[in-house]
Amino acid sequence: MPGKTILFTSGKGGVGKTTSTANIAVALAAQDPNINVCMIDMDIGLRNLDIQLGLENRIVYNLVDVVEGACKTKQALVKDKRLPNLALLPAAQTRDKSAVTPEQMVSLIDELREMFDLILIDSPAGIEQGFHNSVAAADEAIIITTAEMSAVRDADRVIGLLEAYPRKINCWLLINRLRASMVKSNDMMSVDDVMEILGIKLLGVIPEDEKIIVSTNKGEPLSLAVNKTSGAGQAFRNVALRLTGVEVPLMDIFGENQNIFVKQFKKLKSLIKFG
C-alpha cells in the first residue's frame, strides 16, 4: 500500500512548525519499528529540520540534488541512528524555492510512497512557491498555530487555500505553545476561541515548554522516550498516537478534566491506515 503524505504548514513563521514536524515524526517512528517514516524539509534556502534532529553533520546530498538528478533519492536520505525506521530528506541551503516545481515534488513523493509508510513535509512559512511545492502531493494537512491573532489569521488563510485546492486535502489543527496561565487570565486566546475561528478538527494542544530550546540545541526532540518529564514531549507523543487511531484524551494542561475531547479524537481512527 503506498505511503501517506502529511503536510505541516502554518502561514506564519515562528509558530513551531519545524519543531512539531520533528517531534511527531520521531514519536511515530518510535511508536512502531515497522512504520517507516520520512521527513522532507521544504524550506529551500534555509534548512532547520536537520538541526532539530541532530543530523546536520551527516548531510551529503539534498532535495534539489535529487530532483536535478545529481544523485539517487536513497543517497540523499539521512537515516536517524536512534531510529532506523526514520529518515530525512534535507533542503538545500545554497538554492532558492524556485529550484523545485510542484510537478517534480509529485514525482519524488510518488517514489517515496513506495519506500515509506508516512512522509511528513515541513512546509516553509508563507503562501508562495515553497507552499505550493509542499502541498502538491499532500494527502492530509496539519495546520499549526499559536493562540495569537496574527498566527490564527494566517492559519485561516492557509486553510482557505487548502480547502480551495483542486484535490481534497483534509485539514487538522494543532495549537502550539499554549500557556494555561495566560489563557486563564484572558491574556491569550483559548483552545475554544481558536477552534471557533478556524473551524477545523482539533488534533492536539502542545503546552509551552522551555525544554524545547534545550532539545533543539542538542538535536534531541522532546518526543524521544528519554524526555519523559516534558509536557510538550508527551503532548507530541499523544498526537502521534491519535494519528494512528489510538484514542488519547487531551492533556490536562489547565488542571481540569479534559476527557470531553475523547469523543472528538475517536473520529481520527481513519486518518492514517497501514497495511
Side-chain angles (χ1 to χ4, degrees), residues 7 42 44 96-106 109 121 123-124 128-138 165:
L7 171 69
M42 289 297 300
I44 300 171
D96 60 39
K97 294 169 181 62
S98 64
V100 177
T101 67
E103 292 75 20
Q104 288 173 322
M105 284 307 303
V106 170
I109 289 176
I121 302 175
S123 173
E128 307 305 326
Q129 182 66 39
F131 170 79
H132 293 290
N133 289 341
S134 301
V135 75
Y165 204 70

mmCIF file with all atom_site columns, all heavy atoms in Angstrom, residues 7 42 44 96-106 109 121 123-124 128-138 165:
data_model
loop_
_atom_site.group_PDB
_atom_site.id
_atom_site.type_symbol
_atom_site.label_atom_id
_atom_site.label_alt_id
_atom_site.label_comp_id
_atom_site.label_asym_id
_atom_site.label_entity_id
_atom_site.label_seq_id
_atom_site.pdbx_PDB_ins_code
_atom_site.Cartn_x
_atom_site.Cartn_y
_atom_site.Cartn_z
_atom_site.occupancy
_atom_site.B_iso_or_equiv
_atom_site.pdbx_formal_charge
_atom_site.auth_seq_id
_atom_site.auth_comp_id
_atom_site.auth_asym_id
_atom_site.auth_atom_id
_atom_site.pdbx_PDB_model_num
ATOM 1   N N   . LEU A 1 7   ? 1.207  17.062 5.303   1.00 0.00 ? 7   LEU A N   1
ATOM 2   C CA  . LEU A 1 7   ? 1.811  18.391 5.207   1.00 0.00 ? 7   LEU A CA  1
ATOM 3   C C   . LEU A 1 7   ? 1.705  19.107 6.544   1.00 0.00 ? 7   LEU A C   1
ATOM 4   O O   . LEU A 1 7   ? 0.646  19.139 7.168   1.00 0.00 ? 7   LEU A O   1
ATOM 5   C CB  . LEU A 1 7   ? 1.076  19.200 4.139   1.00 0.00 ? 7   LEU A CB  1
ATOM 6   C CG  . LEU A 1 7   ? 1.416  20.688 4.016   1.00 0.00 ? 7   LEU A CG  1
ATOM 7   C CD1 . LEU A 1 7   ? 2.830  20.869 3.484   1.00 0.00 ? 7   LEU A CD1 1
ATOM 8   C CD2 . LEU A 1 7   ? 0.404  21.398 3.117   1.00 0.00 ? 7   LEU A CD2 1
ATOM 9   N N   . MET A 1 42  ? 11.210 21.253 3.221   1.00 0.00 ? 42  MET A N   1
ATOM 10  C CA  . MET A 1 42  ? 10.922 22.016 2.008   1.00 0.00 ? 42  MET A CA  1
ATOM 11  C C   . MET A 1 42  ? 11.361 23.478 2.109   1.00 0.00 ? 42  MET A C   1
ATOM 12  O O   . MET A 1 42  ? 11.095 24.257 1.192   1.00 0.00 ? 42  MET A O   1
ATOM 13  C CB  . MET A 1 42  ? 9.426  21.960 1.705   1.00 0.00 ? 42  MET A CB  1
ATOM 14  C CG  . MET A 1 42  ? 8.945  20.608 1.222   1.00 0.00 ? 42  MET A CG  1
ATOM 15  S SD  . MET A 1 42  ? 9.699  20.129 -0.351  1.00 0.00 ? 42  MET A SD  1
ATOM 16  C CE  . MET A 1 42  ? 9.147  21.461 -1.404  1.00 0.00 ? 42  MET A CE  1
ATOM 17  N N   . ILE A 1 44  ? 13.715 25.395 1.317   1.00 0.00 ? 44  ILE A N   1
ATOM 18  C CA  . ILE A 1 44  ? 14.924 25.533 0.490   1.00 0.00 ? 44  ILE A CA  1
ATOM 19  C C   . ILE A 1 44  ? 15.506 26.938 0.651   1.00 0.00 ? 44  ILE A C   1
ATOM 20  O O   . ILE A 1 44  ? 14.806 27.934 0.549   1.00 0.00 ? 44  ILE A O   1
ATOM 21  C CB  . ILE A 1 44  ? 14.600 25.251 -0.982  1.00 0.00 ? 44  ILE A CB  1
ATOM 22  C CG1 . ILE A 1 44  ? 14.070 23.822 -1.133  1.00 0.00 ? 44  ILE A CG1 1
ATOM 23  C CG2 . ILE A 1 44  ? 15.826 25.461 -1.867  1.00 0.00 ? 44  ILE A CG2 1
ATOM 24  C CD1 . ILE A 1 44  ? 13.524 23.511 -2.497  1.00 0.00 ? 44  ILE A CD1 1
ATOM 25  N N   . ASP A 1 96  ? 17.264 28.519 -4.049  1.00 0.00 ? 96  ASP A N   1
ATOM 26  C CA  . ASP A 1 96  ? 16.018 29.110 -3.566  1.00 0.00 ? 96  ASP A CA  1
ATOM 27  C C   . ASP A 1 96  ? 14.846 28.204 -3.949  1.00 0.00 ? 96  ASP A C   1
ATOM 28  O O   . ASP A 1 96  ? 15.018 27.181 -4.611  1.00 0.00 ? 96  ASP A O   1
ATOM 29  C CB  . ASP A 1 96  ? 15.817 30.533 -4.088  1.00 0.00 ? 96  ASP A CB  1
ATOM 30  C CG  . ASP A 1 96  ? 15.770 30.601 -5.615  1.00 0.00 ? 96  ASP A CG  1
ATOM 31  O OD1 . ASP A 1 96  ? 15.180 29.689 -6.225  1.00 0.00 ? 96  ASP A OD1 1
ATOM 32  O OD2 . ASP A 1 96  ? 16.320 31.559 -6.180  1.00 0.00 ? 96  ASP A OD2 1
ATOM 33  N N   . LYS A 1 97  ? 13.647 28.601 -3.508  1.00 0.00 ? 97  LYS A N   1
ATOM 34  C CA  . LYS A 1 97  ? 12.476 27.736 -3.651  1.00 0.00 ? 97  LYS A CA  1
ATOM 35  C C   . LYS A 1 97  ? 12.065 27.513 -5.102  1.00 0.00 ? 97  LYS A C   1
ATOM 36  O O   . LYS A 1 97  ? 11.332 26.573 -5.401  1.00 0.00 ? 97  LYS A O   1
ATOM 37  C CB  . LYS A 1 97  ? 11.325 28.305 -2.824  1.00 0.00 ? 97  LYS A CB  1
ATOM 38  C CG  . LYS A 1 97  ? 11.627 28.264 -1.326  1.00 0.00 ? 97  LYS A CG  1
ATOM 39  C CD  . LYS A 1 97  ? 10.638 29.045 -0.520  1.00 0.00 ? 97  LYS A CD  1
ATOM 40  C CE  . LYS A 1 97  ? 10.987 28.990 0.972   1.00 0.00 ? 97  LYS A CE  1
ATOM 41  N NZ  . LYS A 1 97  ? 12.289 29.570 1.301   1.00 0.00 ? 97  LYS A NZ  1
ATOM 42  N N   . SER A 1 98  ? 12.536 28.352 -6.016  1.00 0.00 ? 98  SER A N   1
ATOM 43  C CA  . SER A 1 98  ? 12.204 28.177 -7.436  1.00 0.00 ? 98  SER A CA  1
ATOM 44  C C   . SER A 1 98  ? 12.985 27.026 -8.066  1.00 0.00 ? 98  SER A C   1
ATOM 45  O O   . SER A 1 98  ? 12.732 26.656 -9.219  1.00 0.00 ? 98  SER A O   1
ATOM 46  C CB  . SER A 1 98  ? 12.486 29.472 -8.211  1.00 0.00 ? 98  SER A CB  1
ATOM 47  O OG  . SER A 1 98  ? 13.880 29.775 -8.183  1.00 0.00 ? 98  SER A OG  1
ATOM 48  N N   . ALA A 1 99  ? 13.925 26.435 -7.311  1.00 0.00 ? 99  ALA A N   1
ATOM 49  C CA  . ALA A 1 99  ? 14.729 25.329 -7.831  1.00 0.00 ? 99  ALA A CA  1
ATOM 50  C C   . ALA A 1 99  ? 13.915 24.044 -7.950  1.00 0.00 ? 99  ALA A C   1
ATOM 51  O O   . ALA A 1 99  ? 14.362 23.075 -8.580  1.00 0.00 ? 99  ALA A O   1
ATOM 52  C CB  . ALA A 1 99  ? 15.944 25.093 -6.935  1.00 0.00 ? 99  ALA A CB  1
ATOM 53  N N   . VAL A 1 100 ? 12.730 24.023 -7.342  1.00 0.00 ? 100 VAL A N   1
ATOM 54  C CA  . VAL A 1 100 ? 11.869 22.839 -7.372  1.00 0.00 ? 100 VAL A CA  1
ATOM 55  C C   . VAL A 1 100 ? 10.484 23.255 -7.842  1.00 0.00 ? 100 VAL A C   1
ATOM 56  O O   . VAL A 1 100 ? 9.992  24.331 -7.498  1.00 0.00 ? 100 VAL A O   1
ATOM 57  C CB  . VAL A 1 100 ? 11.777 22.191 -5.967  1.00 0.00 ? 100 VAL A CB  1
ATOM 58  C CG1 . VAL A 1 100 ? 10.828 21.001 -5.982  1.00 0.00 ? 100 VAL A CG1 1
ATOM 59  C CG2 . VAL A 1 100 ? 13.146 21.759 -5.495  1.00 0.00 ? 100 VAL A CG2 1
ATOM 60  N N   . THR A 1 101 ? 9.832  22.401 -8.621  1.00 0.00 ? 101 THR A N   1
ATOM 61  C CA  . THR A 1 101 ? 8.475  22.676 -9.093  1.00 0.00 ? 101 THR A CA  1
ATOM 62  C C   . THR A 1 101 ? 7.499  21.706 -8.429  1.00 0.00 ? 101 THR A C   1
ATOM 63  O O   . THR A 1 101 ? 7.893  20.625 -7.964  1.00 0.00 ? 101 THR A O   1
ATOM 64  C CB  . THR A 1 101 ? 8.366  22.512 -10.613 1.00 0.00 ? 101 THR A CB  1
ATOM 65  O OG1 . THR A 1 101 ? 8.554  21.124 -10.944 1.00 0.00 ? 101 THR A OG1 1
ATOM 66  C CG2 . THR A 1 101 ? 9.405  23.359 -11.331 1.00 0.00 ? 101 THR A CG2 1
ATOM 67  N N   . PRO A 1 102 ? 6.203  22.053 -8.393  1.00 0.00 ? 102 PRO A N   1
ATOM 68  C CA  . PRO A 1 102 ? 5.203  21.124 -7.850  1.00 0.00 ? 102 PRO A CA  1
ATOM 69  C C   . PRO A 1 102 ? 5.202  19.778 -8.576  1.00 0.00 ? 102 PRO A C   1
ATOM 70  O O   . PRO A 1 102 ? 5.033  18.726 -7.947  1.00 0.00 ? 102 PRO A O   1
ATOM 71  C CB  . PRO A 1 102 ? 3.886  21.875 -8.063  1.00 0.00 ? 102 PRO A CB  1
ATOM 72  C CG  . PRO A 1 102 ? 4.267  23.322 -8.023  1.00 0.00 ? 102 PRO A CG  1
ATOM 73  C CD  . PRO A 1 102 ? 5.604  23.378 -8.693  1.00 0.00 ? 102 PRO A CD  1
ATOM 74  N N   . GLU A 1 103 ? 5.392  19.802 -9.881  1.00 0.00 ? 103 GLU A N   1
ATOM 75  C CA  . GLU A 1 103 ? 5.407  18.561 -10.653 1.00 0.00 ? 103 GLU A CA  1
ATOM 76  C C   . GLU A 1 103 ? 6.573  17.651 -10.230 1.00 0.00 ? 103 GLU A C   1
ATOM 77  O O   . GLU A 1 103 ? 6.421  16.424 -10.139 1.00 0.00 ? 103 GLU A O   1
ATOM 78  C CB  . GLU A 1 103 ? 5.515  18.869 -12.153 1.00 0.00 ? 103 GLU A CB  1
ATOM 79  C CG  . GLU A 1 103 ? 4.292  19.550 -12.751 1.00 0.00 ? 103 GLU A CG  1
ATOM 80  C CD  . GLU A 1 103 ? 4.181  21.038 -12.381 1.00 0.00 ? 103 GLU A CD  1
ATOM 81  O OE1 . GLU A 1 103 ? 5.214  21.641 -11.998 1.00 0.00 ? 103 GLU A OE1 1
ATOM 82  O OE2 . GLU A 1 103 ? 3.066  21.572 -12.460 1.00 0.00 ? 103 GLU A OE2 1
ATOM 83  N N   . GLN A 1 104 ? 7.725  18.254 -9.974  1.00 0.00 ? 104 GLN A N   1
ATOM 84  C CA  . GLN A 1 104 ? 8.865  17.471 -9.508  1.00 0.00 ? 104 GLN A CA  1
ATOM 85  C C   . GLN A 1 104 ? 8.603  16.870 -8.133  1.00 0.00 ? 104 GLN A C   1
ATOM 86  O O   . GLN A 1 104 ? 9.005  15.739 -7.846  1.00 0.00 ? 104 GLN A O   1
ATOM 87  C CB  . GLN A 1 104 ? 10.119 18.356 -9.469  1.00 0.00 ? 104 GLN A CB  1
ATOM 88  C CG  . GLN A 1 104 ? 10.672 18.704 -10.842 1.00 0.00 ? 104 GLN A CG  1
ATOM 89  C CD  . GLN A 1 104 ? 11.795 19.715 -10.772 1.00 0.00 ? 104 GLN A CD  1
ATOM 90  O OE1 . GLN A 1 104 ? 11.768 20.656 -9.963  1.00 0.00 ? 104 GLN A OE1 1
ATOM 91  N NE2 . GLN A 1 104 ? 12.799 19.540 -11.622 1.00 0.00 ? 104 GLN A NE2 1
ATOM 92  N N   . MET A 1 105 ? 7.904  17.619 -7.283  1.00 0.00 ? 105 MET A N   1
ATOM 93  C CA  . MET A 1 105 ? 7.588  17.113 -5.949  1.00 0.00 ? 105 MET A CA  1
ATOM 94  C C   . MET A 1 105 ? 6.619  15.934 -6.026  1.00 0.00 ? 105 MET A C   1
ATOM 95  O O   . MET A 1 105 ? 6.764  14.950 -5.285  1.00 0.00 ? 105 MET A O   1
ATOM 96  C CB  . MET A 1 105 ? 6.995  18.227 -5.083  1.00 0.00 ? 105 MET A CB  1
ATOM 97  C CG  . MET A 1 105 ? 8.019  19.222 -4.574  1.00 0.00 ? 105 MET A CG  1
ATOM 98  S SD  . MET A 1 105 ? 9.414  18.440 -3.711  1.00 0.00 ? 105 MET A SD  1
ATOM 99  C CE  . MET A 1 105 ? 8.557  17.529 -2.422  1.00 0.00 ? 105 MET A CE  1
ATOM 100 N N   . VAL A 1 106 ? 5.643  16.014 -6.904  1.00 0.00 ? 106 VAL A N   1
ATOM 101 C CA  . VAL A 1 106 ? 4.704  14.906 -7.066  1.00 0.00 ? 106 VAL A CA  1
ATOM 102 C C   . VAL A 1 106 ? 5.445  13.649 -7.497  1.00 0.00 ? 106 VAL A C   1
ATOM 103 O O   . VAL A 1 106 ? 5.221  12.552 -6.964  1.00 0.00 ? 106 VAL A O   1
ATOM 104 C CB  . VAL A 1 106 ? 3.601  15.267 -8.088  1.00 0.00 ? 106 VAL A CB  1
ATOM 105 C CG1 . VAL A 1 106 ? 2.774  14.037 -8.433  1.00 0.00 ? 106 VAL A CG1 1
ATOM 106 C CG2 . VAL A 1 106 ? 2.699  16.371 -7.550  1.00 0.00 ? 106 VAL A CG2 1
ATOM 107 N N   . ILE A 1 109 ? 7.633  12.357 -4.509  1.00 0.00 ? 109 ILE A N   1
ATOM 108 C CA  . ILE A 1 109 ? 6.842  11.749 -3.430  1.00 0.00 ? 109 ILE A CA  1
ATOM 109 C C   . ILE A 1 109 ? 6.215  10.440 -3.885  1.00 0.00 ? 109 ILE A C   1
ATOM 110 O O   . ILE A 1 109 ? 6.076  9.498  -3.089  1.00 0.00 ? 109 ILE A O   1
ATOM 111 C CB  . ILE A 1 109 ? 5.804  12.755 -2.904  1.00 0.00 ? 109 ILE A CB  1
ATOM 112 C CG1 . ILE A 1 109 ? 6.541  13.849 -2.114  1.00 0.00 ? 109 ILE A CG1 1
ATOM 113 C CG2 . ILE A 1 109 ? 4.760  12.073 -2.016  1.00 0.00 ? 109 ILE A CG2 1
ATOM 114 C CD1 . ILE A 1 109 ? 5.693  14.961 -1.607  1.00 0.00 ? 109 ILE A CD1 1
ATOM 115 N N   . ILE A 1 121 ? 5.931  16.384 5.469   1.00 0.00 ? 121 ILE A N   1
ATOM 116 C CA  . ILE A 1 121 ? 6.521  17.511 4.751   1.00 0.00 ? 121 ILE A CA  1
ATOM 117 C C   . ILE A 1 121 ? 6.516  18.752 5.623   1.00 0.00 ? 121 ILE A C   1
ATOM 118 O O   . ILE A 1 121 ? 5.457  19.219 6.056   1.00 0.00 ? 121 ILE A O   1
ATOM 119 C CB  . ILE A 1 121 ? 5.749  17.801 3.445   1.00 0.00 ? 121 ILE A CB  1
ATOM 120 C CG1 . ILE A 1 121 ? 5.745  16.569 2.541   1.00 0.00 ? 121 ILE A CG1 1
ATOM 121 C CG2 . ILE A 1 121 ? 6.347  19.001 2.727   1.00 0.00 ? 121 ILE A CG2 1
ATOM 122 C CD1 . ILE A 1 121 ? 4.908  16.745 1.289   1.00 0.00 ? 121 ILE A CD1 1
ATOM 123 N N   . SER A 1 123 ? 6.668  22.340 5.549   1.00 0.00 ? 123 SER A N   1
ATOM 124 C CA  . SER A 1 123 ? 6.497  23.442 4.589   1.00 0.00 ? 123 SER A CA  1
ATOM 125 C C   . SER A 1 123 ? 7.128  24.723 5.114   1.00 0.00 ? 123 SER A C   1
ATOM 126 O O   . SER A 1 123 ? 7.103  24.982 6.319   1.00 0.00 ? 123 SER A O   1
ATOM 127 C CB  . SER A 1 123 ? 4.995  23.663 4.345   1.00 0.00 ? 123 SER A CB  1
ATOM 128 O OG  . SER A 1 123 ? 4.773  24.811 3.560   1.00 0.00 ? 123 SER A OG  1
ATOM 129 N N   . PRO A 1 124 ? 7.687  25.551 4.240   1.00 0.00 ? 124 PRO A N   1
ATOM 130 C CA  . PRO A 1 124 ? 8.200  26.853 4.693   1.00 0.00 ? 124 PRO A CA  1
ATOM 131 C C   . PRO A 1 124 ? 7.057  27.789 5.040   1.00 0.00 ? 124 PRO A C   1
ATOM 132 O O   . PRO A 1 124 ? 5.907  27.568 4.654   1.00 0.00 ? 124 PRO A O   1
ATOM 133 C CB  . PRO A 1 124 ? 8.985  27.358 3.475   1.00 0.00 ? 124 PRO A CB  1
ATOM 134 C CG  . PRO A 1 124 ? 8.331  26.704 2.313   1.00 0.00 ? 124 PRO A CG  1
ATOM 135 C CD  . PRO A 1 124 ? 7.894  25.344 2.796   1.00 0.00 ? 124 PRO A CD  1
ATOM 136 N N   . GLU A 1 128 ? 3.798  31.296 -0.733  1.00 0.00 ? 128 GLU A N   1
ATOM 137 C CA  . GLU A 1 128 ? 4.386  31.494 -2.053  1.00 0.00 ? 128 GLU A CA  1
ATOM 138 C C   . GLU A 1 128 ? 4.807  30.152 -2.652  1.00 0.00 ? 128 GLU A C   1
ATOM 139 O O   . GLU A 1 128 ? 4.234  29.120 -2.368  1.00 0.00 ? 128 GLU A O   1
ATOM 140 C CB  . GLU A 1 128 ? 5.569  32.467 -1.942  1.00 0.00 ? 128 GLU A CB  1
ATOM 141 C CG  . GLU A 1 128 ? 5.239  33.791 -1.261  1.00 0.00 ? 128 GLU A CG  1
ATOM 142 C CD  . GLU A 1 128 ? 4.072  34.539 -1.914  1.00 0.00 ? 128 GLU A CD  1
ATOM 143 O OE1 . GLU A 1 128 ? 3.925  34.451 -3.139  1.00 0.00 ? 128 GLU A OE1 1
ATOM 144 O OE2 . GLU A 1 128 ? 3.313  35.194 -1.180  1.00 0.00 ? 128 GLU A OE2 1
ATOM 145 N N   . GLN A 1 129 ? 5.844  30.160 -3.468  1.00 0.00 ? 129 GLN A N   1
ATOM 146 C CA  . GLN A 1 129 ? 6.268  28.972 -4.214  1.00 0.00 ? 129 GLN A CA  1
ATOM 147 C C   . GLN A 1 129 ? 6.538  27.772 -3.308  1.00 0.00 ? 129 GLN A C   1
ATOM 148 O O   . GLN A 1 129 ? 6.160  26.641 -3.633  1.00 0.00 ? 129 GLN A O   1
ATOM 149 C CB  . GLN A 1 129 ? 7.522  29.279 -5.036  1.00 0.00 ? 129 GLN A CB  1
ATOM 150 C CG  . GLN A 1 129 ? 8.026  28.128 -5.897  1.00 0.00 ? 129 GLN A CG  1
ATOM 151 C CD  . GLN A 1 129 ? 7.057  27.756 -7.003  1.00 0.00 ? 129 GLN A CD  1
ATOM 152 O OE1 . GLN A 1 129 ? 6.445  28.621 -7.608  1.00 0.00 ? 129 GLN A OE1 1
ATOM 153 N NE2 . GLN A 1 129 ? 6.896  26.457 -7.249  1.00 0.00 ? 129 GLN A NE2 1
ATOM 154 N N   . GLY A 1 130 ? 7.206  28.006 -2.184  1.00 0.00 ? 130 GLY A N   1
ATOM 155 C CA  . GLY A 1 130 ? 7.518  26.903 -1.275  1.00 0.00 ? 130 GLY A CA  1
ATOM 156 C C   . GLY A 1 130 ? 6.281  26.199 -0.763  1.00 0.00 ? 130 GLY A C   1
ATOM 157 O O   . GLY A 1 130 ? 6.258  24.968 -0.617  1.00 0.00 ? 130 GLY A O   1
ATOM 158 N N   . PHE A 1 131 ? 5.231  26.963 -0.489  1.00 0.00 ? 131 PHE A N   1
ATOM 159 C CA  . PHE A 1 131 ? 3.971  26.382 -0.030  1.00 0.00 ? 131 PHE A CA  1
ATOM 160 C C   . PHE A 1 131 ? 3.355  25.532 -1.136  1.00 0.00 ? 131 PHE A C   1
ATOM 161 O O   . PHE A 1 131 ? 2.913  24.400 -0.888  1.00 0.00 ? 131 PHE A O   1
ATOM 162 C CB  . PHE A 1 131 ? 3.008  27.491 0.391   1.00 0.00 ? 131 PHE A CB  1
ATOM 163 C CG  . PHE A 1 131 ? 1.604  27.022 0.663   1.00 0.00 ? 131 PHE A CG  1
ATOM 164 C CD1 . PHE A 1 131 ? 1.294  26.400 1.859   1.00 0.00 ? 131 PHE A CD1 1
ATOM 165 C CD2 . PHE A 1 131 ? 0.606  27.194 -0.280  1.00 0.00 ? 131 PHE A CD2 1
ATOM 166 C CE1 . PHE A 1 131 ? 0.003  25.955 2.119   1.00 0.00 ? 131 PHE A CE1 1
ATOM 167 C CE2 . PHE A 1 131 ? -0.692 26.758 -0.038  1.00 0.00 ? 131 PHE A CE2 1
ATOM 168 C CZ  . PHE A 1 131 ? -0.994 26.132 1.169   1.00 0.00 ? 131 PHE A CZ  1
ATOM 169 N N   . HIS A 1 132 ? 3.313  26.047 -2.357  1.00 0.00 ? 132 HIS A N   1
ATOM 170 C CA  . HIS A 1 132 ? 2.706  25.314 -3.464  1.00 0.00 ? 132 HIS A CA  1
ATOM 171 C C   . HIS A 1 132 ? 3.494  24.042 -3.798  1.00 0.00 ? 132 HIS A C   1
ATOM 172 O O   . HIS A 1 132 ? 2.903  23.026 -4.167  1.00 0.00 ? 132 HIS A O   1
ATOM 173 C CB  . HIS A 1 132 ? 2.574  26.219 -4.685  1.00 0.00 ? 132 HIS A CB  1
ATOM 174 C CG  . HIS A 1 132 ? 1.599  27.341 -4.476  1.00 0.00 ? 132 HIS A CG  1
ATOM 175 N ND1 . HIS A 1 132 ? 0.242  27.128 -4.389  1.00 0.00 ? 132 HIS A ND1 1
ATOM 176 C CD2 . HIS A 1 132 ? 1.785  28.681 -4.298  1.00 0.00 ? 132 HIS A CD2 1
ATOM 177 C CE1 . HIS A 1 132 ? -0.376 28.285 -4.181  1.00 0.00 ? 132 HIS A CE1 1
ATOM 178 N NE2 . HIS A 1 132 ? 0.538  29.238 -4.116  1.00 0.00 ? 132 HIS A NE2 1
ATOM 179 N N   . ASN A 1 133 ? 4.812  24.087 -3.654  1.00 0.00 ? 133 ASN A N   1
ATOM 180 C CA  . ASN A 1 133 ? 5.620  22.878 -3.827  1.00 0.00 ? 133 ASN A CA  1
ATOM 181 C C   . ASN A 1 133 ? 5.262  21.836 -2.774  1.00 0.00 ? 133 ASN A C   1
ATOM 182 O O   . ASN A 1 133 ? 5.176  20.638 -3.058  1.00 0.00 ? 133 ASN A O   1
ATOM 183 C CB  . ASN A 1 133 ? 7.111  23.204 -3.706  1.00 0.00 ? 133 ASN A CB  1
ATOM 184 C CG  . ASN A 1 133 ? 7.639  23.983 -4.896  1.00 0.00 ? 133 ASN A CG  1
ATOM 185 O OD1 . ASN A 1 133 ? 7.039  23.996 -5.966  1.00 0.00 ? 133 ASN A OD1 1
ATOM 186 N ND2 . ASN A 1 133 ? 8.770  24.643 -4.708  1.00 0.00 ? 133 ASN A ND2 1
ATOM 187 N N   . SER A 1 134 ? 5.055  22.304 -1.550  1.00 0.00 ? 134 SER A N   1
ATOM 188 C CA  . SER A 1 134 ? 4.800  21.405 -0.423  1.00 0.00 ? 134 SER A CA  1
ATOM 189 C C   . SER A 1 134 ? 3.440  20.744 -0.499  1.00 0.00 ? 134 SER A C   1
ATOM 190 O O   . SER A 1 134 ? 3.270  19.577 -0.127  1.00 0.00 ? 134 SER A O   1
ATOM 191 C CB  . SER A 1 134 ? 4.917  22.180 0.897   1.00 0.00 ? 134 SER A CB  1
ATOM 192 O OG  . SER A 1 134 ? 6.196  22.754 1.039   1.00 0.00 ? 134 SER A OG  1
ATOM 193 N N   . VAL A 1 135 ? 2.451  21.464 -0.967  1.00 0.00 ? 135 VAL A N   1
ATOM 194 C CA  . VAL A 1 135 ? 1.079  20.960 -0.966  1.00 0.00 ? 135 VAL A CA  1
ATOM 195 C C   . VAL A 1 135 ? 0.780  20.064 -2.171  1.00 0.00 ? 135 VAL A C   1
ATOM 196 O O   . VAL A 1 135 ? -0.219 19.347 -2.186  1.00 0.00 ? 135 VAL A O   1
ATOM 197 C CB  . VAL A 1 135 ? 0.082  22.139 -0.910  1.00 0.00 ? 135 VAL A CB  1
ATOM 198 C CG1 . VAL A 1 135 ? -0.013 22.828 -2.251  1.00 0.00 ? 135 VAL A CG1 1
ATOM 199 C CG2 . VAL A 1 135 ? -1.303 21.683 -0.459  1.00 0.00 ? 135 VAL A CG2 1
ATOM 200 N N   . ALA A 1 136 ? 1.652  20.063 -3.145  1.00 0.00 ? 136 ALA A N   1
ATOM 201 C CA  . ALA A 1 136 ? 1.375  19.401 -4.424  1.00 0.00 ? 136 ALA A CA  1
ATOM 202 C C   . ALA A 1 136 ? 0.980  17.935 -4.292  1.00 0.00 ? 136 ALA A C   1
ATOM 203 O O   . ALA A 1 136 ? 0.145  17.450 -5.065  1.00 0.00 ? 136 ALA A O   1
ATOM 204 C CB  . ALA A 1 136 ? 2.592  19.531 -5.349  1.00 0.00 ? 136 ALA A CB  1
ATOM 205 N N   . ALA A 1 137 ? 1.573  17.217 -3.345  1.00 0.00 ? 137 ALA A N   1
ATOM 206 C CA  . ALA A 1 137 ? 1.283  15.782 -3.227  1.00 0.00 ? 137 ALA A CA  1
ATOM 207 C C   . ALA A 1 137 ? 0.769  15.412 -1.840  1.00 0.00 ? 137 ALA A C   1
ATOM 208 O O   . ALA A 1 137 ? 0.816  14.246 -1.445  1.00 0.00 ? 137 ALA A O   1
ATOM 209 C CB  . ALA A 1 137 ? 2.539  14.975 -3.549  1.00 0.00 ? 137 ALA A CB  1
ATOM 210 N N   . ALA A 1 138 ? 0.256  16.387 -1.099  1.00 0.00 ? 138 ALA A N   1
ATOM 211 C CA  . ALA A 1 138 ? -0.200 16.128 0.272   1.00 0.00 ? 138 ALA A CA  1
ATOM 212 C C   . ALA A 1 138 ? -1.550 15.415 0.293   1.00 0.00 ? 138 ALA A C   1
ATOM 213 O O   . ALA A 1 138 ? -2.441 15.730 -0.493  1.00 0.00 ? 138 ALA A O   1
ATOM 214 C CB  . ALA A 1 138 ? -0.294 17.441 1.044   1.00 0.00 ? 138 ALA A CB  1
ATOM 215 N N   . TYR A 1 165 ? -8.216 23.899 -2.904  1.00 0.00 ? 165 TYR A N   1
ATOM 216 C CA  . TYR A 1 165 ? -7.304 23.132 -3.755  1.00 0.00 ? 165 TYR A CA  1
ATOM 217 C C   . TYR A 1 165 ? -8.099 22.141 -4.598  1.00 0.00 ? 165 TYR A C   1
ATOM 218 O O   . TYR A 1 165 ? -9.095 21.575 -4.128  1.00 0.00 ? 165 TYR A O   1
ATOM 219 C CB  . TYR A 1 165 ? -6.288 22.399 -2.866  1.00 0.00 ? 165 TYR A CB  1
ATOM 220 C CG  . TYR A 1 165 ? -4.996 22.066 -3.563  1.00 0.00 ? 165 TYR A CG  1
ATOM 221 C CD1 . TYR A 1 165 ? -4.086 23.058 -3.911  1.00 0.00 ? 165 TYR A CD1 1
ATOM 222 C CD2 . TYR A 1 165 ? -4.681 20.754 -3.883  1.00 0.00 ? 165 TYR A CD2 1
ATOM 223 C CE1 . TYR A 1 165 ? -2.901 22.749 -4.551  1.00 0.00 ? 165 TYR A CE1 1
ATOM 224 C CE2 . TYR A 1 165 ? -3.494 20.433 -4.524  1.00 0.00 ? 165 TYR A CE2 1
ATOM 225 C CZ  . TYR A 1 165 ? -2.615 21.442 -4.858  1.00 0.00 ? 165 TYR A CZ  1
ATOM 226 O OH  . TYR A 1 165 ? -1.449 21.124 -5.492  1.00 0.00 ? 165 TYR A OH  1
#
